[in-house]
Amino acid sequence: KKMNCNYSLYLVTDRAILEGRDLYHAVEAALQGGVTLVQLREKHTSSRDFYQIALGLKDLTCKYQVPLLINDRLDIALAVDADGIHIGQEDLPLQVVREMLGPQKIVGYSVANIEEAVYGERNGADYLGAGPVYATQTKSTPIEPLGVEGLRSIKEAVSIPVVGIGGINVRNVSQVRRSGVDGISVVSAILGSFNPANASRELYTAWHKKD
Amino acid sequence: KKMNCNYSLYLVTDRAILEGRDLYHAVEAALQGGVTLVQLREKHTSSRDFYQIALGLKDLTCKYQVPLLINDRLDIALAVDADGIHIGQEDLPLQVVREMLGPQKIVGYSVANIEEAVYGERNGADYLGAGPVYATQTKSTPIEPLGVEGLRSIKEAVSIPVVGIGGINVRNVSQVRRSGVDGISVVSAILGSFNPANASRELYTAWHKKD
Ligand code: NI
């Protein structure tokens, strides 16, 4: 059965940002701080290592009853029985992924404009990761940011949940929330902190603040 | 139903060796020259590109009625319905791959010694790729070659087919055959040639030569 998903505070991993700090401990701290969804993203890692890391995070996210999604690698998602997968424009085609994973797993899809968002909704995505909202150093090729208005236009074009991603931090989170999206997806705002629990708590509080 | 496998002349792809020559054309020439099995190996390629290349080679190998195996990526193998997969020590665990692919698909396993060979046979491998037989520049980390005697000892330790890999060319192929293995696996001996059809024909002839 498909895990019920709270997209409000969505952590995407990046071991490079940890500069040697332990991924498992950082993610556990983030879960204690209120993260509602975890995506494991690995680049240039052997399949064996990716699988082992995914098994570890699966245990951890189960313990906190938070869904675990795997970035790109459908085989890893299947092998560890993750709750789903997140794919981008460079990954396996969306329809192929949905067909192979079946209807019970979560499929997320990265989009940068309304056209991709509508395509994602029509082809089986459960939610969209839309961005970059702000300029970010996470990706090697800089892309023109959507801004809050661009994010709002994507959210208004579809009826599935939309999560903003890219350059979101505790200072701009309330602005992002006012665009109407369902959550924020962060990497460095949590994993770049030496206190991921506290960083998560601050983001959680900022997201829920009435204004 | 599991495709019947002739392991005698097994081509493993490497686009780097082609230096821009077209992979599809090179593989077709190799098939015309007598290649009996093709393994698609891609490194540092996006999942989308890997998938597209695999779809193209699937068409081609079907046309020549030769099985197509995918290196490492179980998701790509499933997505294109390849005939099987080839994994190494750094890839998903052998038992996990066998479980996920089912009994009807071919699973190959790379081994460098008798211990790994016996493990492979016991845990569901259909065949073993044993090597490197000779010194080779294909892998970035040089490994002590098995030699023909090392290859023979692996072949004698198991009852599943064994294919020699690493530094095999038209000059040493008859020596490799006398070790008792079921075939040779080559990369540069075919794809490093400007005439892959001819290179394959020469290897085929050398493999079948009585002596
Ligand atoms: Ni790489």
Side-chain angles (χ1 to χ4, degrees), chain B residues 94-174:
Chain B
L94 180 54
Q95 311 97 307
V96 171
V97 167
R98 174 53 79 198
E99 175 76 23
M100 288 169 72
L101 266 184
Q104 303 303 339
K105 295 289 189 182
I106 300 163
V107 177
Y109 187 57
S110 290
V111 303
N113 54 54
I114 291 176
E115 189 186 354
E116 291 171 354
V118 171
Y119 178 89
E121 179 172 42
R122 287 190 183 153
N123 288 280
D126 289 298
Y127 76 91
L128 305 174
V133 182
Y134 302 104
T136 165
Q137 303 305 314
T138 306
K139 295 265 181 174
S140 48
T141 32
I143 302 160
E144 185 65 30
L146 288 172
V148 169
E149 281 315 306
L151 186 60
R152 183 195 303 275
S153 68
I154 286 175
K155 173 61 189 171
E156 289 174 352
V158 296
S159 57
I160 56 178
V162 174
V163 178
I165 186 162
I168 299 172
N169 57 48
V170 73
R171 291 175 301 283
N172 58 31
V173 57
S174 66

Side-chain angles (χ1 to χ4, degrees), chain A residues 61-202:
Chain A
T61 52
C62 277
K63 180 175 152 196
Y64 287 87
Q65 298 182 48
V66 159
L68 174 69
L69 308 186
I70 304 294
N71 182 279
D72 177 16
R73 293 289 298 270
L74 185 57
D75 48 356
I76 306 292
L78 291 167
V80 307
D81 192 27
D83 302 289
I85 189 170
H86 184 93
I87 58 169
Q89 307 289 326
E90 305 265 277
D91 301 334
L92 283 173
L94 179 54
Q95 310 98 308
V96 171
V97 167
R98 173 53 78 197
E99 175 76 22
M100 289 169 71
L101 267 183
Q104 303 303 338
K105 295 289 190 182
I106 299 162
V107 176
Y109 187 59
S110 289
V111 302
N113 55 55
I114 291 176
E115 190 186 352
E116 291 171 354
V118 170
Y119 179 90
E121 178 172 44
R122 287 190 182 154
N123 288 279
D126 289 299
Y127 76 90
L128 305 174
V133 181
Y134 302 104
T136 166
Q137 303 305 314
T138 305
K139 295 265 179 171
S140 48
T141 31
I143 301 160
E144 185 65 29
L146 287 173
V148 170
E149 282 314 306
L151 185 61
R152 182 195 304 275
S153 68
I154 286 174
K155 172 63 190 171
E156 289 174 353
V158 296
S159 56
I160 57 179
V162 174
V163 178
I165 187 162
I168 298 172
N169 57 48
V170 73
R171 291 175 301 286
N172 58 33
V173 57
S174 65
Q175 191 182 21
V176 174
R177 188 171 49 76
R178 285 194 297 271
S179 74
V181 294
D182 303 274
I184 53 170
S185 181
V186 299
V187 184
S188 56
I190 291 177
L191 297 182
S193 166
F194 285 94
N195 191 334
N198 211 41
S200 302
R201 235 172 262 120
E202 287 177 3

Side-chain angles (χ1 to χ4, degrees), chain B residues 32 41 54-55 90 93 134 136-137 149-150 180 195 199 201:
Chain B
Q32 288 166 345
R41 186 173 63 183
L55 277 182
E90 305 265 276
Y134 302 104
T136 165
Q137 303 305 314
E149 281 315 306
N195 191 336
R201 236 172 261 123

Side-chain angles (χ1 to χ4, degrees), chain B residues 173-189:
Chain B
V173 57
S174 66
Q175 193 182 21
V176 174
R177 187 170 50 76
R178 285 195 297 271
S179 75
V181 294
D182 304 274
I184 53 170
S185 181
V186 299
V187 183
S188 56

Side-chain angles (χ1 to χ4, degrees), chain A residues 43-45, chain B residues 43-45:
Chain A
K43 297 289 174 196
H44 309 304
T45 303
Chain B
K43 297 288 174 196
H44 310 304
T45 302

Side-chain angles (χ1 to χ4, degrees), chain A residues 44 46-49 51-52 72-76 78-79 88-94 96 100, chain B residues 44 46-49 51-52 72-76 78-79 88-94 96 100:
Chain A
H44 309 304
S46 73
S47 294
R48 181 69 62 97
D49 289 346
Y51 171 72
Q52 293 295 348
D72 177 16
R73 293 289 298 270
L74 185 57
D75 48 356
I76 306 292
L78 291 167
Q89 307 289 326
E90 305 265 277
D91 301 334
L92 283 173
L94 179 54
V96 171
M100 289 169 71
Chain B
H44 310 304
S46 73
S47 294
R48 180 68 62 98
D49 289 345
Y51 170 73
Q52 293 295 349
D72 177 17
R73 293 289 299 270
L74 184 57
D75 49 354
I76 305 293
L78 291 168
Q89 307 289 325
E90 305 265 276
D91 301 334
L92 283 173
L94 180 54
V96 171
M100 288 169 72

